[in-house]
Amino acid sequence: MGESLVVCDVAEDLVEKLRKFRFRKETNNAAIIMKIDKDKQLVVLDEEHEGISPDELKDELPERQPRYPSCAYQHEDGRVSYPLCFIFSSPVGCKPEQQMMYAGSKNKLVQTAELTKVFEIRNTEDLTEEWLREKLGFFH
């Protein structure tokens, strides 16, 4: 292992976007998907979705590349989960250097964006409404 672990910074515009996302007024399910720009060594915005369910979100995640989806989630009783749910998606089969870069940068992103509900999945198929509800049940 000749390469040292790279911890990426978080793009300023992404920090601002996450802050606005957390305090948004809409109550629908929504998601921001973040990725690492390897050349710039920055966590940047990949995609943004409004009105997306956890089951639909899973279809937006690449099967063989890590991502950081973050979502606002509306419970069945109408309450919306704030602060955001942050999910580290690191599917089996990713390149080891990619996994290390994402894993190494996760804590920096969590701290920078002040995320408190942090979960991890190793298989994008695991990201379901039921899984998320179960994870969030811990916070009641």
Side-chain angles (χ1 to χ4, degrees), residues 35-50:
K35 67 178 181 180
I36 289 180
D37 180 327
K38 205 170 152 191
D39 299 330
K40 295 180 184 166
Q41 295 189 350
L42 271 181
V43 179
V44 297
L45 178 67
D46 185 21
E47 298 173 19
E48 216 172 339
H49 299 277
E50 284 290 329

Side-chain angles (χ1 to χ4, degrees), residues 59-116:
D59 295 335
E60 298 298 323
L61 299 175
E63 276 181 37
R64 297 255 180 265
Q65 292 179 340
R67 284 294 184 270
Y68 301 122
S70 197
C71 55
Y73 176 70
Q74 185 169 8
H75 297 270
E76 288 174 343
D77 63 6
R79 287 178 305 115
V80 178
S81 243
Y82 291 112
L84 304 174
C85 307
F86 173 75
I87 303 161
F88 172 36
S89 169
S90 179
V92 176
C94 294
K95 294 180 183 158
E97 63 272 15
Q98 240 185 352
Q99 279 185 325
M100 284 183 357
M101 189 181 268
Y102 273 81
S105 302
K106 180 182 89 171
N107 288 343
K108 173 112 179 160
L109 177 58
V110 166
Q111 287 170 344
T112 304
E114 299 173 20
L115 302 164
T116 56

